[in-house]
Amino acid sequence: MSVTSVLVSGIGVWFSLAVSSAIGEEAMGVFQLILSVVSFGSTFACSGIQLAAARLTAKKLGEGKEGALGSVMKRCFAYGGSFGTVGCILLFSLSHPIAEYCLHSPVTALPLQVAAFSLPLVGLTAALNGYFTAVSRVGKCCFIQVAEQLCRVGLTLLSLNLWGKDLSSVCCCILGAGLFSQLLGFLLLLLLYFADRRRYPRGHGEKGDTAALLHIGLPIAGSTYLRSGLLTVKNLLAPAGLVAYGLSRSEAVSVFGGIHGVVLPFVLFFGVLLTAASDLLMPELAKAMGAAKDPSRNKQVLRLVERMFKLSLLFSFGVAAGLFALAEPLSRLVDSEIDLHFYLMLFAPLVPVMYFDTAVDSMLKGLDQQLYSMGYNILDAGISLVLVLFLVPHTGVAGYLLVIFQSEVLNAALSLNRLLKVTKVRFRPWVLLGKPVLAAAGAGTLAFFCQSSLSVLLPDWLTVAVSAGVLLLGYYLLCRLLGCVTAKEEKLFRQALQE
C-alpha cells in the first residue's frame, strides 16, 4: 500500500505542477479559488459519512454482527447520496452569483456548474472509503486510486490540448476530467464492495443503526460545514488582502496559486504515507476502545498512541530534513514562476507539525474525540480568517505565510493537548523530539553537502536521487545510533507502512 500511496501522491503532485506550468500561476490561482468553493460543496456532500461508515462498520465487526453490514451500508449510501444530490443542486443554482460576487470572475460560473455534478459521487465514495478503512481492505483499493489518477491526468491533458483556449474552458477541462475519473473510481469501488461483502453472512440491521449513523454524522457535518465555510471565506479573501497591500489582482492571484497549487502539494507529498497509516490506526483504536471505555486504562490504546507518536515524528523530521537540504536541486526540476527554493526551505521546519497534526487528528477520531478535534479546527479557521482580514492587508505575502504557520501550530498544539489529557500518555520531548532532530540535522547536513558537490557534475534529477539515498541511509544509521527506535519498533513501523 505504501508504494501505491506514494505513486498516487506522486502522480497528483506532478499533475499539479504540470497544470500550473501549462496554464500559468494566475490561472492556477483562479482554479484554486474555484476549488475552495467546490471544497465546501464536497464537505456538504460528505457530511461526516466517511467517519460514520468507518466507525459503524468497525463497531459491527467488533460486536460479531457481520450480517448487519449490508444494512448499515445501505443507510450510509442513502445518507451520502442525499447530501451529495442536495449539494449538487445548490452549487449549480448558485454558480452565477458565486462567480460574480465571491470569485470576482463571471467566467468561473460554468466550471462551478461542471464541478457540481461530482458532489453526489463524492458523498457515495466517502461512504465506501469508510467501509474499506474499517474492514482493513484499504490496500485492495490502491489500484483503483492509481487508475483514477491516471484517468484524471490523461483526460485533463487531452482536453486542455483540444479545448483549453481561455480561463473558463481550462477550468472546465480540469474539472470535467476530474468528474469522469471520479465516476470511474466510484464504479470500481462499488464493484469491489460487492465482491468484499461476500465474505460476510447476510443478515438484518438493528433499529438503532439509523440513529447511530445520525449521531456520528450530523455533529461532524455541522462542525465541518462551519470549518470549511470559514476556510473557504479565508481563501477567497486572501487575494483581496494582498491587493489591499498593494499587489495587482493578477499578482495576488498568482501568489495564491503558487502557494496552494505548487508549494503545498510539494510539501505534503510524502505525508500520504503517514495519512494511510493514521487512517488504518483509527478503526484499531475504535476496536480497542470497545474493550475498555477509559482509554487511560487501556494498555493496547496506550501502545498504539505511543507507537504512532514515534512513527509520525521520526518520519516527518526525515522529510523535513530532505526538503530543506535538497530544496535547490528540487526547485530546478520544476518549471514555476514562484521561488520554490525559498518556499521549500521556509516550509520544511513546518513539515513535522503538519504531519504530526494529521496523525493526532486520526487518533482523536479513533478515541471518539472527533467533536473536540472539530472544535479546534473551527477555532483555528476562525482565527485564520480574522488574521487574513486584518493582518494581510498591512503585511502582504509575509502576513499570509504567518497565517498558515500559526494555523498549523495552533491546531497541532490543541489536538496534542487533548490527546495527552484523554490517554495520559507521557510525551517525552528528548525521545520524541530531541533525538530525531539531531538525527535529521546530521542526515540533512550530509545530504546538503552531497547535492552541493554533485550538482556541478550530474543532472538535477540524479543529484536529487543520490542525495536522497545518502539522506535515508544517514538518517537510519543516526536514528539507530541515538536509540530513536528499537529493532522491534522498526519492524512494527515497516509493517505499518506496508499494510
Side-chain angles (χ1 to χ4, degrees):
M1 176 180 170
S2 58
V3 174
T4 309
S5 298
V6 172
L7 177 61
V8 171
S9 182
I11 294 172
V13 172
W14 174 85
F15 173 71
S16 180
L17 297 176
V19 169
S20 177
S21 177
I23 68 177
E25 286 178 2
E26 181 179 356
M28 191 66 175
V30 174
F31 179 66
Q32 289 297 321
L33 292 173
I34 293 174
L35 286 185
S36 295
V37 176
V38 176
S39 176
F40 179 77
S42 297
T43 300
F44 183 85
C46 292
S47 293
I49 187 57
Q50 182 163 338
L51 178 61
R55 292 198 59 194
L56 285 177
T57 301
K59 182 174 180 291
K60 295 299 181 184
L61 291 174
E63 295 173 349
K65 300 176 180 177
E66 293 86 352
L69 291 180
S71 176
V72 166
M73 286 307 298
K74 286 179 182 178
R75 289 169 168 80
C76 292
F77 286 142
Y79 183 100
S82 298
F83 277 98
T85 302
V86 173
C88 171
I89 295 171
L90 289 175
L91 182 57
F92 191 93
S93 303
L94 299 174
S95 58
H96 285 285
I98 291 174
E100 184 172 354
Y101 298 111
C102 298
L103 300 178
H104 306 288
S105 179
V107 298
T108 58
L110 183 58
L112 288 173
Q113 292 173 351
V114 173
F117 289 103
S118 68
L119 297 185
L121 295 174
V122 170
L124 293 170
T125 302
L128 286 170
N129 286 333
Y131 168 84
F132 285 115
T133 298
V135 298
S136 300
R137 292 292 187 273
V138 178
K140 292 190 175 182
C141 306
C142 290
F143 79 95
I144 296 178
Q145 296 174 7
V146 174
E148 185 177 337
Q149 278 282 48
L150 292 175
C151 176
R152 177 173 174 244
V153 170
L155 288 176
T156 299
L157 296 179
L158 177 63
S159 58
L160 283 175
N161 186 53
L162 294 175
W163 302 297
K165 307 302 180 183
D166 53 41
L167 180 60
S168 179
S169 61
V170 163
C171 294
C172 285
C173 287
I174 300 172
L175 292 168
L179 172 61
F180 281 105
S181 64
Q182 280 181 313
L183 177 60
L184 172 65
F186 167 71
L187 293 176
L188 292 175
L189 275 177
L190 191 61
L191 290 175
L192 191 60
Y193 164 74
F194 285 129
D196 189 77
R197 280 284 294 114
R198 295 176 182 174
R199 297 187 301 127
Y200 303 111
R202 293 185 178 275
H204 301 286
E206 298 177 321
K207 291 183 178 180
D209 287 344
T210 301
L213 170 62
L214 298 177
H215 174 73
I216 298 172
L218 290 182
I220 296 174
S223 56
T224 53
Y225 297 163
L226 181 55
R227 178 180 183 252
S228 182
L230 290 171
L231 290 176
T232 299
V233 173
K234 183 203 78 173
N235 288 338
L236 296 179
L237 290 177
L242 295 174
V243 170
Y245 177 71
L247 275 64
S248 67
R249 178 72 184 179
S250 175
E251 291 172 333
V253 173
S254 295
V255 169
F256 183 84
I259 292 174
H260 290 272
V262 178
V263 177
L264 289 180
F266 216 110
V267 169
L268 296 172
F269 167 51
F270 290 103
V272 66
L273 279 172
L274 196 57
T275 300
S278 300
D279 287 344
L280 289 172
L281 177 67
M282 185 180 68
E284 294 299 320
L285 282 172
K287 292 175 184 177
M289 277 286 290
K293 294 299 182 181
D294 184 1
S296 65
R297 297 179 180 274
N298 190 323
K299 292 183 178 180
Q300 185 181 359
V301 169
L302 297 181
R303 282 195 300 268
L304 288 170
V305 171
E306 288 174 346
R307 287 171 184 169
M308 198 61 198
F309 271 179
K310 187 170 284 190
L311 171 63
S312 58
L313 289 170
L314 283 172
F315 179 79
S316 59
F317 278 120
V319 174
L323 289 175
F324 192 89
L326 306 180
E328 185 175 357
L330 283 171
S331 65
R332 290 198 296 265
L333 291 173
V334 179
D335 181 18
S336 175
E337 300 171 14
I338 199 168
D339 187 358
L340 187 58
H341 179 197
F342 166 76
Y343 280 104
L344 287 180
M345 294 185 71
L346 180 69
F347 275 89
L350 190 63
V351 165
V353 178
M354 300 170 80
Y355 287 14
F356 186 60
D357 183 46
T358 299
V360 172
D361 190 60
S362 293
M363 287 187 279
L364 285 175
K365 290 176 181 176
L367 294 171
D368 199 21
Q369 299 292 309
Q370 63 270 12
L371 293 183
Y372 284 95
S373 180
M374 288 309 307
Y376 301 148
N377 290 335
I378 292 169
L379 176 63
D380 158 41
I383 292 175
S384 297
L385 175 59
V386 172
L387 290 177
V388 166
L389 278 172
F390 296 104
L391 181 64
V392 175
H394 301 286
T395 56
V397 177
Y400 187 62
L401 293 172
L402 179 62
V403 171
I404 296 175
F405 272 67
Q406 73 80 29
S407 171
E408 296 293 340
V409 172
L410 175 65
N411 206 323
L414 292 174
S415 298
L416 176 61
N417 179 68
R418 181 61 192 174
L419 184 62
L420 295 178
K421 184 176 181 180
V422 170
T423 61
K424 302 297 191 296
V425 170
R426 287 179 57 208
F427 188 88
R428 297 171 291 174
W430 173 242
V431 174
L432 296 175
L433 299 177
K435 290 182 178 181
V437 167
L438 288 177
T445 301
L446 289 174
F448 177 79
F449 283 114
C450 180
Q451 67 89 7
S452 298
S453 303
L454 295 177
S455 59
V456 296
L457 303 173
L458 302 176
D460 288 326
W461 68 269
L462 190 53
T463 297
V464 170
V466 174
S467 301
V470 170
L471 174 77
L472 289 173
L473 179 60
Y475 190 51
Y476 171 75
L477 293 175
L478 287 171
C479 282
R480 292 304 302 269
L481 180 64
L482 293 171
C484 297
V485 60
T486 64
K488 181 180 179 181
E489 289 172 334
E490 180 185 340
K491 182 179 178 181
L492 291 171
F493 293 164
R494 285 180 179 176
Q495 292 174 350
L497 293 176
Q498 290 172 358
E499 287 181 350

